[in-house]
Amino acid sequence: MYNTEMSITWAISIGLSTLLAYFFKNLYRQRMLVKTLIKQGLPVAPNHNFLFGHLLYLKRFSDAMPKGAHFQYMFSDIYQESFQDGGVFYLDMWPLSPLFLAVVSPTTATSVTQTNSKIYARKPDLLPKLFKPLAGGPNLFDMPEVEWKPWRATFSKCFSNEHFMYLVPGIVEQTLVYCETLRRHAEMGDTFFLDTMTIRFTMDIIGKTILNSELGAQRGYNPLADCMISQMRWQQPNGDINPFSLIHLPRFFMQWLNGRRMDSYIGPELDKRFREHRASPPDSKKNKAIIDLLLQAYSPNSEATPNQEETMDPEFRLFAIRQIRMFVFAGHDSTSSAITYCFHLLSRHPKALQRLRAEHDETYGMDISSVASKLLANPALANGLLYTTAVIKEALRLFPPASSSRQGTTGVEITDDRGMVCPTEGAVVWVNHQAMHRAPKYWVRPDDFLPERWLVSPDHELYPMKGAWRPFENGPRNCIGQGLVMMELRIVLSLTVREFLFEDAYEEFDARGGRKGIKNYKGERAFQIDEGAAHPAEYYPCKVKLNV
Ligand code: HEM
C-alpha cells in the first residue's frame, strides 16, 4: 500500500516537473525571440517583461476600456500611442496566444494579403481551433491554400453579379418580414435589441443563399439558425488571445450539442437534395446555392442513371456539412452587424439620413410602399444608389465587423512605413481593420461619419487613400460574399430608412442596471464587442418610430 502511494506521488511529481520544464523551455524560447527582435531595433511594443511578455503592459489598456470591448481596440490604442510612424508592431502575449505582428499600415497590409504569394493565402495555424465550433472542421475559411483554391473557384459561382439578380426576390421578401417586426415595435413603443433581431433576419437571407430554403428564423425557432446563434453566444469572447476557452465544460458541452444539432439539420437536407439532383439535375444557371454547387462538384460526371439508388460518400457528406455551416456563419454574422451600425450612424446624423431619403425618393418615387415591387421588377435598381453605397462604405469603415490574419513563416518579411523589415516567423500577422480605418495618418477626420468622402474626386482632401479601406480585405482570399453584402444592404436601406426612425436606448438600458463601470470606448456607447464578428455592445438596445 505504502509503495503504491509512493509510486503515485512520484509519477505525479515527474509529470508536473516535465510540464513545468516544457513550459519554461517554451517561455525562454519565446521571450528570447522577442528580446532578439528588440535588440535589432524592430518595432516591439514597449515594456516587455521576461515572465509576462506584454500581458502586464496590455492590462493598462484593457483597464481603461469597457468590460468585454473587442480586443482590436487595445491594438488600436497601442498603435496610436507608439507606432503611428511605422504602422507595424509585435506584441508578445504568450502563453495566451502566439506572437502577434499587428499591421495597421495599408501598404504593409497590401503586401501581406495581396502581393506576397508566400503568405497571402496562408491562414493562421490557430484559426481551425477557433472555427471548429462554428463549422465543425476544415472549411473554405481556414483551409490550407492547396485545398482552398479549387473550392474557392467553385463557390465563386454563387457570388457572381448575374446570380445576385436571382437572389433579389428572396432578400426583398425577408426584408419585408423584418419591416413587419419593426412596425410592431414602433406600435408598441418598446425597447428591443436591434442587433439580435437583425441576426435572425440575415440568417433568413443566408438560408436562401446557401441552402435555397426558408429557415423562418425571423418568425420562430429554426434548429440550424438557433444552434448557430447559440454557438456564437457560447464562443469565448476574444478567443484569439485566450486559450482558456477550451477549459470550460459547459461551453464545451453546449458547442458539441449545437454542432450535432446543426449537422442533424443539414445532413438530411443534403441527402434530400442529393436525391433530387440524381433524379433530375437542376438548371445549373439558376441553382447556384452553395448546397447545389457542392452537389454539382461532387459528381459532375457520374455515370449513375437518374433513378439509380446512390448514397453520398460519407467523407464528402461531412465535408459538405462543414462548408455549409461555415457559410451560414460567415454569411449572416458580419452583415447583421453592418446593418445595425448603418442605422446607428444614420440616427446620429440627420443630415446624412435626409440626403439618403432624398436619393430614395428620386430612385423609387415618393410612394414608399412601391419600393418592393419596383425592386422585384428591376432587381438592378438599387445598384445606382450612390449615396446609399457611400453610407454603407462609411459605416463599414467606422465599425468594420471583421479583420484579417495570416500565418507568418520562415523567410517571409514585411516592411513597415519607415522601411523597417520585420520577420514574420512564428507570428500571427494580423491586419487590424479597425485601427487602420481610424488612423489619422491614413484618413482625414478619421472619427467623423462622412459618406461624402466616397463621392469626391481624387483631388479632394477627403478622397480615401488607396488600400486604406479593407473591411472585406483585398487579395485572393478576400471576402467572397462582399458583392452580396453590398447588394443586401442597399436593398435593406431602400426598404427601411424612409419608414423608420431609430434611436438607441443605452441610457435606459444602463439606468435599469445594464452596464456598470466604464461604459464607452472613446465616447462611443455602441462600441464593438467580440462575438463571432464585432457586434455592437449589448446587441444595441433601441426604440423605433414610424417616420410620419
Ligand atoms: C459586412 C459583411 C462582411 C464582412 C465585413 C466580411 C469580411 C470578411 C473578411 C475580413 C474576410 C477575411 C478575408 C481575408 O482574410 O483576406 C472574409 C472572408 C470570408 N467571407 Fe466575409 N464578410 C462579410 C460577409 C460575408 C458573407 C455575406 C459571406 C457569404 C455569404 C461571407 C463569406 C466569407 C468567406 C467564405 C470567407 C473566406 C474566403 C476565403 O478564404 O476564400 N462573408 N470576410
Side-chain angles (χ1 to χ4, degrees), residues 424-539:
T424 66
E425 188 179 350
V428 173
V429 183
W430 185 38
V431 182
N432 185 322
H433 298 161
Q434 196 276 336
M436 184 190 296
H437 289 181
R438 297 273 189 149
K441 184 173 175 190
Y442 311 122
W443 296 91
V444 176
R445 297 169 60 191
D447 292 328
D448 293 351
F449 176 67
L450 297 171
E452 47 274 35
R453 71 172 90 236
W454 299 102
L455 302 168
V456 294
S457 55
D459 55 348
H460 196 283
E461 60 150 358
L462 282 178
Y463 192 77
M465 171 187 172
K466 191 167 177 246
W469 184 80
R470 36 205 322 135
F472 300 109
E473 205 31 77
N474 298 333
R477 267 196 114 145
N478 66 358
C479 176
I480 201 170
Q482 56 186 293
L484 175 66
V485 173
M486 295 306 288
M487 185 186 74
E488 224 174 299
L489 266 96
R490 281 191 286 260
I491 293 178
V492 173
L493 294 182
S494 297
L495 285 162
T496 51
V497 291
R498 288 190 293 170
E499 183 173 357
F500 301 105
L501 277 168
F502 293 87
E503 194 186 339
D504 80 67
Y506 279 111
E507 234 179 275
E508 177 194 317
F509 178 86
D510 289 334
R512 289 187 180 174
R515 181 172 278 269
K516 307 270 183 287
I518 304 172
K519 296 189 175 65
N520 300 315
Y521 173 72
K522 295 197 171 162
E524 179 58 82
R525 182 62 184 88
F527 60 86
Q528 292 175 297
I529 56 167
D530 178 22
E531 197 171 287
H535 285 268
E538 350 299 350
Y539 311 112

Side-chain angles (χ1 to χ4, degrees), residues 37-54:
L37 299 172
I38 295 171
K39 263 196 195 144
Q40 291 169 348
L42 292 170
V44 177
N47 301 339
H48 187 251
N49 174 292
F50 194 82
L51 256 190
F52 296 102
H54 284 118

Side-chain angles (χ1 to χ4, degrees), residues 120-178:
Y120 63 35
R122 225 184 136 110
K123 289 292 181 100
D125 297 341
L126 61 74
L127 204 58
K129 190 194 91 187
L130 297 175
F131 255 78
K132 180 97 195 279
L134 301 167
N139 60 81
L140 188 77
F141 208 104
D142 59 24
M143 271 179 199
E145 185 174 6
V146 181
E147 290 134 64
W148 157 81
K149 216 170 189 173
W151 282 110
R152 170 86 187 204
T154 300
F155 293 135
S156 293
K157 293 176 198 149
C158 177
F159 300 98
S160 67
N161 285 336
E162 185 205 348
H163 181 57
F164 289 161
M165 295 304 118
Y166 290 112
L167 298 177
V168 169
I171 297 175
V172 169
E173 188 191 331
Q174 293 307 329
T175 312
L176 292 177
V177 178
Y178 184 66

Side-chain angles (χ1 to χ4, degrees), residues 338-379:
I339 294 172
T340 306
Y341 276 117
C342 280
F343 290 141
H344 170 58
L345 287 162
L346 288 168
S347 75
R348 294 285 166 88
H349 298 89
K351 280 195 179 143
L353 179 60
Q354 208 177 359
R355 192 165 165 193
L356 190 68
R357 286 175 170 166
E359 181 174 73
H360 294 183
D361 288 346
E362 207 174 297
T363 309
Y364 300 109
M366 300 306 283
D367 176 10
I368 58 171
S369 66
S370 70
V371 178
S373 57
K374 285 183 175 148
L375 280 168
L376 293 176
N378 179 6

Side-chain angles (χ1 to χ4, degrees), residues 362-414:
E362 207 174 297
T363 309
Y364 300 109
M366 300 306 283
D367 176 10
I368 58 171
S369 66
S370 70
V371 178
S373 57
K374 285 183 175 148
L375 280 168
L376 293 176
N378 179 6
L381 201 56
N383 293 347
L385 297 170
L386 297 184
Y387 190 73
T388 310
T389 304
V391 164
I392 298 165
K393 289 179 93 169
E394 190 67 346
L396 285 168
R397 181 183 73 80
L398 289 169
F399 296 100
S403 58
S404 181
S405 50
R406 298 291 182 270
Q407 182 61 50
T409 186
T410 322
V412 173
E413 290 163 337
I414 59 175

